[in-house]
Amino acid sequence: MLNANEAYNCGRCGLCLTTCPVYRQEFDETVSPRSKVQLARLVAEGRLAQSPQLMEVFSMCINCGNCTAACPAGVLHGPLFMRLRSLLGDQFGHSWTMRLLFHLLTHEQQLLLSARIARFGRNVIFEKLAADLMIGTIKLKNTPHMNREPFRAQMPPVINPEGAVKGTIVYFVGCATNLTFGSIGWAVVQVLTTMGFRVVVPKDQVCCALPLIMHGALEKARENILTNIRVLGDPDSTAIIVDCATCGSALRKEYKQALGELGHATRAAESLARKVFDISEFVYQHFDLIAPYLINTPEQPETVTYHSPCHLRNAQGIKGIVEQMLSRLPGVKYVPSKDSESCCGAGGSFCLEHPDITKAIAGEKIRNAKATGASFWATGCPGCNLNLSANLEAADEIRVVHPIQVVARLLRKDQ
Amino acid sequence: MISNKTLSKLRKVLDPGRIKTDAISRSAHSFDGYVVEGVPDAVVFPTKTEEVSKIMEIASMDRVPVTARGAGTNLSGGSIPLKGGLVLCLTQMNKIVEIAPADRYAIVEPGVVNADLQQALSPLNFFFPPDPSSYSVSTIGGNIAEDAGGPRCLKYGVTHDYILGLEVVLSSGKIIRLGSRNVKDVTGYRPAGLFCGSEGTLGIVTEATLKIVPMPKARRTAMICYADLDDTAKTVVSVIGVGIIPAAMELMDNTVINLIEDAMQIGLPRDVEGILLVDVDGAEESVDKELAQIVEFARANNAKEIKVANTSAESDALWKGRRSVYGVLNRLSPTTIVEDATVPVSKIPAMIRGCRGIAHKHSITLSILGHAGDGNLHPCINTDTRDKSEAHRVEEAIKEIFQLAIDLGGCLSGEHGIGLAKSPFLPMGMDTDSREFLSIIKKAIDPCNILNPGKFA
Ligand SMILES: Cc1cc2nc3c(=O)[nH]c(=O)nc-3n(C[C@H](O)[C@H](O)[C@H](O)COP(=O)(O)OP(=O)(O)OC[C@H]3O[C@@H](n4cnc5c(N)ncnc54)[C@H](O)[C@@H]3O)c2cc1C
């Protein structure tokens, strides 16, 4: 039986349709959050059959959380949708791509191996043969190269700053930084050590498992969650830092929810959550520690705009903070894009399952970002980063970067 | 049930992908902002007037009921397909066809979201005055069919004041065009008079030519708090009585204030009995003068605390709670019934006192908010329909609220429409001959009664 308690709080006002990126693309109530809440209720009441088509409807969700943020009645869409996806997934099976993804994300060694194979494919075969190949609507040549070595393997277990140690940071390196965006990892370490922190990268950390949690594959996610809680929970650390909005939302919010659903105690997840900070948020909060090391205003200020990842804004409540951090950087002219807070349409596997919707949403974002005249487009989420950069045209001069890379670029060279 | 024959005819005039007969799509179009549900036999998504016309032609030949639907946010069950048949969803006819600032009109398809039109007008320094609190999601077609109003309609008037011309598909499939692009035009009956508030019972609006208005140069907002609810109403009466027409005057009572605070923590004072939210707009010099006068009246009527916003961001902050109030009420109980009985402004104190008396008598939870400036109150009842004895008391209370409004010279609904919610009460507000006049019009225009049957009658 499905527990659809959340649905009974829905007053059907429809305000969630306003900012739902999927509804705003489709203009069909069937895929709106309000409808999904009602459909879940009908399933729970035995008035609507469970079916593969229903699974398809529930796949039309980017998990951006805009609906929950807009809902004045406080409906929690996430757990309700997750439970329904889980029910339907158990019954009708997940697609082979999802099954493969689940398997890899829960088996660290095989994940690393497949990354190695992918790196070979990407760098050797593909460069020569398939310059115009597409996956869905994503141009392959716009995707980043894989890291030569996984980032975590390149890291010593402890990196000390020069001079006095202000505290110890446990760095949770998500899969994206570990396998693909190594340069973001270096920027994080560089900025944190410059600020005076010792950085520790626990070797046994594993994938945050958020994709599994979102698809309702909670049983599969269990081991990853418990492992991470164990290896990250250093009682002497100042903070646990993440550079990925999605991992951050898992550690700060979803672990507690998922463990609760699985019938585990949630206290450890809660105390972990209190210590987790996003890197941009952390720099903002301790700006005085980095300010002395930034180069003074260069002659040509760099124009930077921002895309606010949903998993940062909705799931972690980080709203307006990264923008302020960027504005405070000397040598940066921050120009907001008019839809900086709307979803980019990526949503993990959503962009593979519904590429046309993603492409339409990303296209609009790109138009607005380019209109700011910025040369850098900062966003602290690898999913958004990949999606936005993949949909840029070769002639577009704007480059997608992590906000921490913007900070790192401005560090004085004598550092 | 819709026959296969009808469906195959529909497939000839509409891309089959735009005709949904699966249980999921049908369930998804079985509800709106009201409490009743009704499942259609099929949902169709036309993209142009000609398609709507062909759909109606088929529907009238085969006698299939057709219920138009915009965003499905109405609060009276207007878009519920009570008799099954087709739900005709206009959300994908959502192009802004033309904006002509110099000629002061905009032409839109019916599915255009009110807020999207505002966003397109704003860089041109124009706006479309009707601003239902659902403006971020409700459609122009739905606004027209419900004759929607909103906070600033106190000064600017409601949707029917902004209709220059309409293109409408009749039940037969004929396409008619009434009105024009001219602000002045007296050729024929006014389209707004017929179709605004018709709730999809007379025809399907497929295009609207709307009057647009230059944006006022300045806007100020004041939030005025009172220890006695009656004093809010007295302030409204004295302000409007001397000839000041603010853009909006919104009222929230203590229950509403606390619910908003619980949900959103925006710093409203929890201990006051009533808040008036007042907007004035116009020229830079006049807004400050008007606001000062209003503040004076508020003080004279025992206002406890007055907050004035000087920037538009501060104004938006003061409005934030009011904008979200319907959803917030849903936190209180499984069902929220929002009434919108309306009375002449001078009768507001009597109306508020009367509503409270009725709530007390039937021991039900009732809070009051509303567009106080034009007498359009929203007594909101929080209830659980599963509790049969309470359901009965609620029913009785609603009846008494309507009677009270009528006795005070008011009407059943100021803006939410009759739909399913108020059909049974129509005789209270309209005598037999007047109701017959409505049904003569309906019969003449929709002889087979296929347009939104079961509503408004
Ligand atoms: C949170 C909230 C706040 C609200 N605030 C206000 C407010 O301040 N003021 C106010 O007036 N209302 C308000 N409403 C009610 C509602 O939003 C309005 O009635 C709105 O105009 C409905 O628009 P819609 O697109 O949702 O239409 P729907 O609900 O889809 O339809 C409404 C009616 O119009 C008919 N219809 C729709 N499109 C067409 C068309 N193209 N041709 C013919 N008939 C059509 C339908 O058959 C139905 O009878 C509020 C509702 C909510 C949920």
Side-chain angles (χ1 to χ4, degrees), chain A residues 13, chain B residues 68 70-74 78 90 133-134 139 142-143 145 149 199 205 326 415:
Chain A
C13 70
Chain B
T73 65
N74 78 88
L90 293 139
S133 302
S134 59
T139 65
N143 293 167
E199 302 182 12
V205 174
Y326 292 106
E415 56 182 22

Side-chain angles (χ1 to χ4, degrees), chain A residues 9 11-14 17-18 23-24 26-30 34-35 38-39 41-42 47-48 53-54 72-74, chain B residues 20 24 27-29 31-35 37 45 69 71-73 91-92 94 116 136-137 324 327-328 330-331:
Chain A
N9 294 332
R12 310 171 179 187
C13 70
L17 277 62
T18 309
Y23 177 76
R24 291 284 308 179
E26 300 289 292
F27 286 102
D28 175 350
E29 176 89 47
T30 313
R34 170 173 68 169
S35 152
Q38 295 305 321
L39 294 175
R41 179 177 60 84
L42 293 178
R47 291 162 62 195
L48 182 69
Q53 292 91 308
L54 192 63
Chain B
K20 315 258 173 144
I24 301 167
S27 302
H29 292 82
F31 57 83
D32 55 24
Y34 186 55
V35 288
E37 288 168 29
F45 290 92
R69 181 183 173 100
T73 65
T91 45
Q92 297 179 5
N94 60 351
D116 292 344
S136 63
V137 51
S324 312
V328 167
N330 284 303
R331 292 183 176 221

Side-chain angles (χ1 to χ4, degrees), chain B residues 333-336 381-391 394:
Chain B
S333 67
T335 304
T336 310
I381 300 171
N382 278 93
T383 181
D384 186 341
T385 44
R386 290 170 291 192
D387 178 344
K388 289 289 167 252
S389 107
E390 185 173 282
V394 167

Side-chain angles (χ1 to χ4, degrees), chain A residues 118-140:
Chain A
R119 182 179 132 75
F120 180 77
R122 168 71 174 77
N123 294 354
V124 179
I125 305 175
F126 155 80
E127 293 299 357
K128 296 198 176 71
L129 297 175
D132 283 323
L133 229 144
M134 312 273 283
I135 303 181
T137 56
I138 292 180
K139 291 187 212 59
L140 262 186

Side-chain angles (χ1 to χ4, degrees), chain A residues 12-15 34, chain B residues 32-33 67-75 77-80 88 90 110-111 131-135 137-151 198-201 203-206 322-323 326-327 371 376 378 414-416 452 455:
Chain A
R12 310 171 179 187
C13 70
L15 290 181
R34 170 173 68 169
Chain B
D32 55 24
T67 302
R69 181 183 173 100
T73 65
N74 78 88
L75 301 165
S79 54
I80 303 295
L88 181 71
L90 293 139
D131 62 338
S133 302
S134 59
Y135 80 114
V137 51
S138 64
T139 65
I140 298 295
N143 293 167
I144 293 171
E146 295 287 358
D147 201 6
S198 68
E199 302 182 12
T201 60
I204 310 294
V205 174
T206 47
R322 173 62 187 88
R323 286 261 178 224
Y326 292 106
H371 316 301
N376 185 190
H378 294 311
E415 56 182 22
H416 293 170
N452 210 356
K455 310 291 166 61

